[in-house]
Each structure stands twice: as structure tokens, then as C-alpha cells.
Amino acid sequence: MTDQIDILEIVIDHPRLDAAIAPVFRDQMNDRFASRPTRLLLDLSAVQFIDSTGLGVLVLLLKQMGAPGKIAVVGLSPAVARLLQITRLDTLFLQFDSAEAARAALA
Amino acid sequence: MPRSPDEEPLSVVEATFDDVRKLAALFREAAEAAGLQERVQLDCELALVEAANNIVEHGYAGTTGGKISFWLAIVPAEVRMELRDQGKPVPSGQFSKCQQFELDAPDGRGTTIIQSCIDQIGYRTEHGENRLVMIKQL
């Protein structure tokens, strides 16, 4: 019998993940994290901009998942990709061109 | 578009995170009209938002009714952004310190992000007004 790892998949529908929306976004993520996943797939296709506050919410998710946790992101806009690159968080948030590729990597 | 701080600012907004979005929208509109390269637009908008967020969160912490004034000049050689506020000044030397990103820190990246996006940063406080100048070379 093979253990199957459950992947929590979340589609972010905020066009701007910034300080203005961060408290709401944080609460939404905390609600979704009640199941304490260790694999998270974030679809950021709708996100056109993210600032350090929005990024901080994502980092908190990674910390909540602990050492075995992995986060994959898909649908990065140029602005989101740029911030992950600047902050070197592109080493922690695994980037994929498709949800299918992300799921395969997280499994 | 106002080119010099001697002129009226492009905008004066309330020191709220919602109004920081207004500054970002103004910048994008001007940047697209000027035909700025995408990378320049991204870096400048991000630096602008981070700087304005810092004013809201730290400069005017514990107060209400604060204002942020914004000047923008886009010329062939550079993009020049200036923010002015009357809040608590940024600690001395903050923008000239060499800082590393803490990968797993939940916050505290704002100033380092600005340093990564902007080529020249100037900051001074005069007569109770803080002035942050950010210049991106083109």
C-alpha cells in the first residue's frame, strides 16, 4: 500500500496581494490551513502584484508547514516572479508552468 | 506630470494602505504612457509601494490623518520618485545599510527590496518633513 500525500490546492483571486488586503488574506489562508497540510499548490494566475506584506503571508504558510512542507506556485505574473527573485524566495517557493507539473513534483 | 518637487506634487494621499494603491495606479499610468520597459516599471512600482507602506506602518504609526505627497519625473535617463511625509523619520542610515534577506522572516524586507530595485536613494528630514528620493537609471 502506498501512502498518498494530500496536496492542498488554493487559487488566489486577489489581483494585488499587498498590505491593503493582507489581513483578509491571512485570515483566509489560516482557515484553509486548519487541515495542516504539508503540500500546498498555490495558483497565482490572478495575482498581478505582490508586496512584502503579501509575501510575508505566504512565508508564514511555509513556516506553519514546518520542515516537511513544500509549496509550489503556478501562474506567476512578471511582478510576482520578480519579487520572489529579488528576495531569493524563488528557492523556497517551487515554480512550475502548470498545475499538473506542480502536482507531480509535490507528490 | 510634475517634474520637480518645486512644483505641486502629482498626488497627495491619505497615509493608508488603500491609498498606497492609488499611488501605484498613478505610477503605472505614467509609466505606460512613457513606454517604460517592463522591468523598470516593476521595480519602480514595487519600490514605491514598499516605501509608502513604510510611511503608513511606521512613519504614522499610532496616528491618523497623515498625508503622503508623491512626485514623479520620467525623463530619458531616469525615473525619479519622491515621497514626503510628516511622520516619524526612518532611523538614520537605514537606506544605506547593507542588509541581507532573511529567507524565512515573515516581515522586514521592505527596505532591502527598495535597495534592490532602485539605483540611488536619498533621504533627509527638514523642518519636520521627511523626503525620500528614489532614482532608477534607464
Side-chain angles (χ1 to χ4, degrees):
Chain A
M1 185 165 131
T2 304
D3 287 337
Q4 186 171 356
I5 295 178
D6 290 334
I7 302 171
L8 176 60
E9 298 192 20
I10 299 177
V11 178
I12 309 296
D13 59 6
H14 301 290
R16 291 181 75 86
L17 283 183
D18 58 7
I21 199 71
V24 169
F25 179 52
R26 189 179 303 118
D27 288 345
Q28 290 173 340
M29 291 300 101
N30 284 339
D31 287 346
R32 297 297 301 271
F33 254 59
S35 61
R36 307 193 72 80
T38 59
R39 298 290 187 271
L40 175 63
L41 170 54
L42 288 175
D43 185 335
L44 299 175
S45 303
V47 182
Q48 293 305 304
F49 177 86
I50 185 170
D51 67 8
S52 61
T53 310
L55 186 61
V57 176
L58 300 184
V59 171
L60 276 176
L61 296 180
L62 193 58
K63 289 171 74 74
Q64 282 181 256
M65 295 165 70
K70 288 185 181 178
I71 295 184
V73 290
V74 297
L76 296 191
S77 69
V80 176
R82 176 62 174 151
L83 183 59
L84 289 179
Q85 177 197 37
I86 289 172
T87 57
R88 297 188 300 122
L89 284 169
D90 53 356
T91 58
L92 294 184
F93 292 91
L94 311 175
Q95 300 176 35
F96 297 91
D97 292 333
S98 70
E100 290 73 24
R103 291 185 195 107
L106 290 174
Chain B
M1 168 181 17
R3 295 163 58 85
S4 160
D6 295 329
E7 303 175 7
E8 291 298 308
L10 180 62
S11 183
V12 180
V13 299
E14 302 289 324
T16 66
F17 294 126
D18 284 333
D19 272 23
V20 170
R21 286 186 170 186
K22 294 179 183 176
L23 295 183
L26 280 171
F27 171 78
R28 283 198 307 279
E29 184 181 343
E32 284 165 16
L36 286 183
Q37 288 183 340
E38 182 181 63
R39 173 59 67 86
V40 172
Q41 287 194 43
L42 298 182
D43 284 2
C44 287
E45 180 179 354
L46 182 56
L48 172 63
V49 168
E50 295 293 341
N53 282 349
N54 283 343
I55 295 171
V56 173
E57 183 173 1
H58 302 294
Y60 286 119
T63 68
T64 56
K67 305 281 188 186
I68 302 174
S69 303
F70 175 49
W71 282 261
L72 173 66
I74 301 176
V75 295
E78 66 186 29
V79 175
R80 185 178 192 278
M81 301 182 289
E82 181 165 339
L83 294 174
R84 295 188 190 181
D85 69 274
Q86 290 76 42
K88 180 182 170 185
V90 170
S92 178
Q94 180 75 15
F95 289 110
S96 55
K97 271 194 301 190
C98 182
Q99 302 170 86
Q100 298 225 353
F101 287 111
E102 298 284 340
L103 278 183
D104 61 352
D107 55 21
R109 295 182 176 84
T111 302
T112 312
I113 289 171
I114 295 169
Q115 291 171 326
S116 298
C117 291
I118 295 296
D119 299 304
Q120 296 178 50
I121 303 171
Y123 187 83
R124 71 181 193 274
T125 299
E126 283 183 0
H127 308 301
E129 182 176 73
N130 308 308
R131 301 181 181 188
L132 171 65
V133 176
M134 297 180 286
I135 297 174
K136 180 78 171 177
Q137 305 291 342
L138 300 181

